[in-house]
Amino acid sequence: MRERLTDALYGLGWGAVKKLPEPVATGLGRRIADTVWKRRGKSVLRLESNLARVVPGAGPARLAELSKAGMRSYMRYWMESFRLPAWSADRVRNGFDVDDVHHLKDGLAAGKGVVLALPHMGNYDLAGAWVTTELGVPFTTVAERLKPETLYDRFVAYRQGLGMEVLPHTGGSAFGTLARRLRDGGLVCLVADRDLSASGVEVEFFGEPTRMPAGPALLAQQTGALLLPVTLWYDGSPVMRGRVHPPVGVPASGTRTEKTSVMAQALADAFATGIAEHPEDWHMLQRLWLADLEPRQEPS
């Protein structure tokens, strides 16, 4: 019943919110965010706990201020996502302003493929729609399988409608497909600040250990593709901002594991730079650091 209700609510969002005038949708999102924030539920408390690592000198009042802004940013992401299928091409083009996009354009022009790696910041669906609309470049991404299956199907259809090829995170074939797309000179975009598997790479992130996916680094090593970190944020205007960071190179020496570790740490450092500058736009409402995760059972 809970899964069916969740699916119905998302369906209502995509069906109804996209029909609202933009100022009405913006105001609605802010009211919902403020209501959720005032209830001080698990997600809000987890967000504040995560932000305490990002802004270590912040006291309770500052963390509360950041978490309120963070929930507003998170709800803006959802309001925009519900409305994106109804946006015109011009609205998409004018809705995103990105610095140093030459890294991406140069990488695509070289024909060796590009991996864009992003944290949970801003609205990566809008950034993706901008890539397919403004640059005219299709790309492949991976989506976590959600329950119920009908909800996952909604997300896949939504992102395919924005010009993305969407692969399931589970099933074992995603990596091979991504590698083929890159060897053909294509573009792959991956959200890469939270490990969803048991094979993540341990990195230092804001001074504490966590795990991040190995996939972006492994794809770059195996295909020769360019690996580019990207961070996103809002600046109080209707336009989302972003930055394409300098490429993360493959180390000249070391084992594959050692190279992957170095590259994953470089990604984590780039993410940390963007998150520290705009902490309220990092939508990490889950446990992330190893100290917060339950110990994994070692095989007997």
Side-chain angles (χ1 to χ4, degrees), residues 64-297:
E65 178 186 348
L66 280 172
S67 68
K68 184 175 184 178
M71 293 307 297
R72 287 182 173 184
S73 174
Y74 184 50
M75 196 52 61
R76 175 172 170 174
Y77 158 75
W78 280 112
M79 291 295 113
E80 286 180 346
S81 295
F82 288 144
R83 292 175 52 76
L84 263 176
W87 281 16
S88 67
D90 284 344
R91 178 67 182 90
V92 172
R93 292 188 185 99
N94 296 329
F96 183 44
D97 182 23
V98 57
D99 297 332
D100 299 328
V101 72
H102 65 89
H103 292 304
L104 172 57
K105 292 180 177 179
D106 292 347
L108 291 171
K112 295 184 178 180
V114 175
V115 180
L116 294 180
L118 307 90
H120 286 80
M121 289 187 79
N123 187 340
Y124 32 83
D125 289 327
L126 172 54
W130 184 88
V131 167
T132 61
T133 303
E134 174 66 15
L135 301 184
V137 177
F139 66 87
T140 305
T141 189
V142 174
E144 179 182 2
R145 278 204 176 274
L146 303 171
K147 293 183 179 181
E149 191 74 14
T150 51
L151 179 57
Y152 171 76
D153 292 341
R154 286 186 191 274
F155 272 95
V156 169
Y158 156 64
R159 287 176 172 144
Q160 287 176 338
L162 299 176
M164 311 175 193
E165 178 187 24
V166 183
L167 307 175
H169 181 268
T170 56
S173 62
F175 188 92
T177 302
L178 295 173
R180 287 194 294 274
R181 300 292 182 269
L182 292 169
R183 291 190 179 101
D184 290 339
L187 176 63
V188 166
C189 300
L190 300 172
V191 180
D193 59 342
R194 181 168 173 254
D195 179 39
L196 296 176
S197 70
S199 59
V201 180
E202 186 167 318
V203 297
E204 286 290 315
F205 195 52
F206 291 101
E208 292 190 41
T210 186
R211 291 187 181 92
M212 292 189 179
L218 289 173
L219 285 167
Q221 289 179 59
Q222 293 192 19
T223 67
L226 193 68
L227 176 56
L228 296 173
V230 178
T231 52
L232 309 170
W233 68 92
Y234 297 119
D235 64 0
S237 76
V239 178
M240 184 177 71
R241 299 290 310 282
R243 179 189 174 198
V244 181
H245 295 251
V248 172
V250 178
S253 61
T255 65
R256 185 176 71 170
T257 298
E258 290 168 343
K259 292 178 180 179
T260 301
S261 179
V262 170
M263 295 172 74
Q265 185 62 61
L267 280 180
D269 292 343
F271 294 164
T273 297
I275 292 168
E277 292 174 349
H278 307 281
E280 68 277 8
D281 292 314
W282 185 44
H283 307 149
M284 185 54 65
L285 280 66
Q286 298 85 20
R287 297 181 182 187
L288 181 71
W289 281 272
L290 300 187
D292 294 336
L293 299 174
E294 295 180 2
R296 296 183 179 179
Q297 295 293 326

